Amino acid sequence: MSKIGFIGLGIMGRPMAGHLLDAGHELVTVEHSKPLPQELADKGAKVLANPKAVAEASEIVITMVPDTPDVEAVLFGEGGVIEGLKPGTLVIDMSSIAPLATQEFAKRIHDAGGEYVDAPVSGGEGGAINAALTIMVGATEQGFERAKPILDVMGKTITHIGGHGDGQTCKVANQIVVALTIEAVAEGLLFASKAGADVAKVRESLLGGLAQSKILDVHGERMIKRTFDPGFRIRLHQKDLNLALEGARSLNLALPGTANAQQLFQACAAHGGEDWDHAGILRALETLSGHEVG
């Protein structure tokens, strides 16, 4: 069993940390504005003053925070992980951040004597709760072998994509596909509803054909029931699509569908919906069409 520092106990991180405790690992985290969740305290998790102290107490440090600047602050800011890093410490970043920044972070951790793994996840809150996440890994072979037993506790499909940053590149590609598929499901259900069909039966039928997808299953139901509590927040998906579009510019790529999905997310945010679940993209389409699915 390992001594693990886990920084980032949000919607995803909280159940992920719980699985590590259930597997018998020791776990410490950092002080936050919110108290340590009681279920984690009951399982033996402890709170330390800052990321430096977490690193000093840990063999493995996992970060699960919202964005690239957050990871940079946790790792390299004042009182950051790198100040308490011991030789051989394994740093696993499970956030979704910029691939190029990830390569830089990996080099800095390596130069300080640690091993870095980028391991962003897909599967949402349900995947985190059920330890069924898809985990996309960028690492050396040695880093992947060290990280895999820990990742197996939290995920179901763990794939070593390639070197540092490749896990994050895979996650950006995932977020492109997810955004465009959610938009497609929303447009299909909006069309069916406006035409007068029973959208619940339309969804049921589509689930048996080529249009079948996890998104049609899960998010199609959210749209019909109008349950837009996150889930995965629109503002976080916006952040991921920004990474895609910035990368596309640097690679001289055209991603028109991605840009369109980002504009629909922005329309949601403009109407106070940045914290809706990303299935709330339907609301932007409903506003444009003057019709509500139901």
Side-chain angles (χ1 to χ4, degrees), residues 235-269:
R235 61 180 167 84
L236 294 178
H237 210 146
Q238 284 184 286
K239 176 261 298 182
D240 292 338
L241 294 191
N242 280 338
L243 294 176
L245 294 169
E246 289 165 5
R249 280 192 292 272
S250 67
L251 295 169
N252 199 27
L253 288 176
L255 300 179
T258 303
N260 187 60
Q262 182 71 305
Q263 286 299 303
L264 291 170
F265 282 141
Q266 183 57 40
C268 292

Side-chain angles (χ1 to χ4, degrees), residues 12 121-128 132-134 136 174 214:
M12 301 287 287
V121 305
S122 180
E125 183 181 10
L133 293 167
T134 294
M136 314 156 208
N174 178 85
K214 184 75 170 177

Side-chain angles (χ1 to χ4, degrees), residues 185-198:
V185 169
E187 289 191 14
L189 295 182
L190 183 65
F191 172 80
S193 176
K194 181 68 173 180
D198 183 325

Side-chain angles (χ1 to χ4, degrees), residues 180-233:
L180 270 63
T181 308
I182 292 176
E183 181 186 350
V185 169
E187 289 191 14
L189 295 182
L190 183 65
F191 172 80
S193 176
K194 181 68 173 180
D198 183 325
V199 289
K201 290 182 178 178
V202 168
R203 170 180 165 274
E204 181 182 350
S205 178
L206 294 177
L207 284 169
L210 191 59
Q212 190 278 335
S213 70
K214 184 75 170 177
I215 286 170
L216 176 62
D217 184 11
V218 174
H219 291 303
E221 183 177 32
R222 278 181 177 270
M223 292 172 190
I224 292 168
K225 292 184 176 179
R226 310 196 70 74
T227 52
F228 297 119
D229 294 334
F232 188 72
R233 300 176 194 274

Side-chain angles (χ1 to χ4, degrees), residues 31-88:
E31 283 188 352
H32 194 267
S33 56
K34 296 180 181 178
L36 180 69
Q38 190 59 48
E39 72 268 21
L40 300 184
D42 290 343
K43 294 175 182 179
K46 295 180 173 59
V47 177
L48 302 179
N50 53 36
K52 174 185 176 182
V54 168
E56 289 172 339
S58 305
E59 302 162 303
I60 299 168
V61 177
I62 297 173
T63 53
M64 186 62 176
V65 296
D67 204 348
T68 307
D70 303 299
V71 176
E72 185 171 23
V74 166
L75 295 181
F76 308 114
E78 184 178 353
V81 165
I82 200 165
E83 294 181 12
L85 198 71
K86 302 188 297 292

